[in-house]
Amino acid sequence: MRAYLFEINLRAGENIVLPERNKGNVLRGAFGTSLRGMVCLFPEADCSKCSIPDCVYRKFFNSMPDPNIRKLSRNENIPRPYVIKPPLERKTLYLKDELIKYEMVIFGRAIDFLPYILITLKSAAQNGLGKNRGRAYLERIHQKNPVTGNVHELFSSENDMVYPRDIFFTENDFKTMDVDRVRLNFKTPAVIKDRGKFIQTPAFDTLIKRIRDRFSALSWFYEGIEPDIDFKNFTVEAEKVKTVRADVAYMQTYRRTRNPSAKQNMSGFVGSLIYQGPISQYMPYLLFGQYMHVGKAAVFGNGWYEAEV
């Protein structure tokens, strides 16, 4: 599955107040509001009942399963074709002229929406961000390949021009590695369920199944590809991998929804987990998963981890 990584640089035009945590929620919310304002013909309507099937907002931001596709069509919500990798700094006040930097990963055919995405990023910044709706402007976007290290300047405010390149990476770019020990450092809360219950210290087989399922769904809905994975035998060896150390803490956090009286629980665990055992065959998925994230609310930036061999 193709993944496109973009580094987005915003320059504060005035003071901007962002939350200490959950900056991904603010950035995604501003993006969604701007996109819907530009393309939606019925902004007050329920997307699930909309009669316009090719709406960009519905296809990219508020994705829903196509009733004509049998596989996974029973999913009430399918994974969105992008992930926000928010600023991890705890600061809340960005002064005028300060830089706000974050990343966005786009999967598969959703890259076809790039012109809309660029316009929306620009509009969202100008409309204002954070609690005080402080205005910013889109200064620069870099397109990056984390495997090769290739970096390309897609957009610069200096000339207000876009220079697109087909720079992407896939899970196949991450080769199987002969390793038997890996550390996963979770930078944002991971919200993972097992047998209907939220868990704070997932066993390796539980975690790799969540990564596998998310990868499979993204591949099917946004590339039309069914991954060549033997689901039954995928975790046979994974059950032999043991947790040798868990330095994790539970982080309680919530996000505001469109309903002012409602909140969505985004609490999960952060910290590091060290696994040991026959891990080699799973490394491509673990490494690709760094950009895909794992668990619930991944689109906001939750479930972001880095793998250390």
Side-chain angles (χ1 to χ4, degrees):
M1 177 177 62
R2 291 171 296 161
Y4 298 81
L5 175 62
F6 299 93
E7 179 191 88
I8 299 160
N9 294 265
L10 305 180
R11 186 70 65 178
E14 54 192 9
N15 293 354
I16 297 175
V17 180
L18 295 178
E20 183 178 358
R21 298 187 177 94
N22 286 354
K23 291 181 175 67
N25 178 39
V26 172
L27 294 168
R28 179 182 181 269
F31 181 93
T33 299
S34 294
L35 178 61
R36 188 164 192 167
M38 287 192 296
V39 304
C40 185
L41 297 178
F42 309 103
E44 301 303 321
D46 183 345
C47 279
S48 64
K49 300 175 182 177
C50 183
S51 59
I52 303 178
D54 293 326
C55 174
V56 176
Y57 178 83
R58 178 175 176 175
K59 283 196 168 186
F60 184 79
F61 188 82
N62 196 25
S63 311
M64 295 182 184
D66 187 338
N68 298 316
I69 298 178
R70 292 183 180 180
K71 185 176 179 64
L72 298 178
S73 63
R74 292 184 180 180
N75 286 22
E76 182 179 352
N77 291 305
I78 64 175
R80 277 41 173 176
Y82 64 95
V83 158
I84 299 289
K85 299 177 84 67
L88 295 175
E89 54 200 7
R90 300 282 290 274
K91 67 183 294 182
T92 59
L93 176 61
Y94 292 83
L95 300 176
K96 181 181 178 181
D97 294 328
E98 275 196 83
L99 190 65
I100 302 172
K101 184 183 295 188
Y102 68 101
E103 293 179 331
M104 175 183 275
V105 187
I106 300 172
F107 301 105
R109 292 191 297 246
I111 195 63
D112 294 343
F113 296 121
L114 185 60
Y116 293 95
I117 295 167
L118 296 179
I119 294 172
T120 302
L121 288 171
K122 198 171 184 179
S123 172
Q126 292 172 346
N127 291 340
L129 303 171
K131 295 179 181 180
N132 65 328
R133 307 291 294 177
R135 290 173 297 175
Y137 66 90
L138 182 61
E139 182 176 273
R140 204 173 306 275
I141 298 178
H142 288 120
Q143 197 168 355
K144 303 161 72 174
N145 185 323
V147 180
T148 64
N150 188 17
V151 179
H152 167 69
E153 187 174 84
L154 175 70
F155 168 80
S156 172
S157 60
E158 294 174 2
N159 54 21
D160 204 30
M161 295 291 291
V162 177
Y163 299 96
R165 297 281 174 83
D166 199 25
I167 299 174
F168 63 88
F169 58 99
T170 75
E171 75 284 0
N172 295 321
D173 293 324
F174 298 101
K175 305 301 181 183
T176 300
M177 306 170 72
D178 187 16
V179 298
D180 63 359
R181 190 180 179 99
V182 66
R183 179 201 301 268
L184 302 183
N185 299 310
F186 283 86
K187 296 176 169 293
T188 58
V191 188
I192 296 176
K193 268 188 173 183
D194 185 31
R195 299 175 186 175
K197 296 182 179 180
F198 291 104
I199 51 177
Q200 182 168 319
T201 309
F204 182 78
D205 63 316
T206 298
L207 183 66
I208 200 66
K209 282 190 287 188
R210 298 298 169 270
I211 294 173
R212 175 203 65 189
D213 293 347
R214 178 164 166 75
F215 174 81
S216 178
L218 285 168
S219 296
W220 175 254
F221 282 110
Y222 302 112
E223 287 282 36
I225 297 173
E226 187 170 358
D228 185 19
I229 299 174
D230 185 337
F231 276 65
K232 184 176 180 180
N233 296 318
F234 184 83
T235 55
V236 171
E237 289 296 298
E239 293 175 358
K240 300 176 183 178
V241 178
K242 305 301 181 184
T243 305
V244 297
R245 183 164 183 169
D247 296 317
V248 297
Y250 186 75
M251 180 183 292
Q252 196 166 31
T253 180
Y254 300 86
R255 66 172 285 262
R256 295 181 182 276
T257 65
R258 295 185 68 186
N259 182 353
S261 62
K263 290 183 180 180
Q264 179 184 350
N265 190 347
M266 295 178 64
S267 305
F269 69 88
V270 293
S272 67
L273 293 164
I274 300 179
Y275 296 109
Q276 186 165 336
I279 300 172
S280 298
Q281 64 176 306
Y282 304 107
M283 286 307 297
Y285 295 99
L286 285 173
L287 295 173
F288 189 82
Q290 297 174 111
Y291 305 95
M292 185 177 65
H293 296 195
V294 64
K296 293 184 175 296
V299 69
F300 299 96
N302 271 22
W304 175 8
Y305 68 88
E306 289 186 354
E308 293 181 19
V309 176

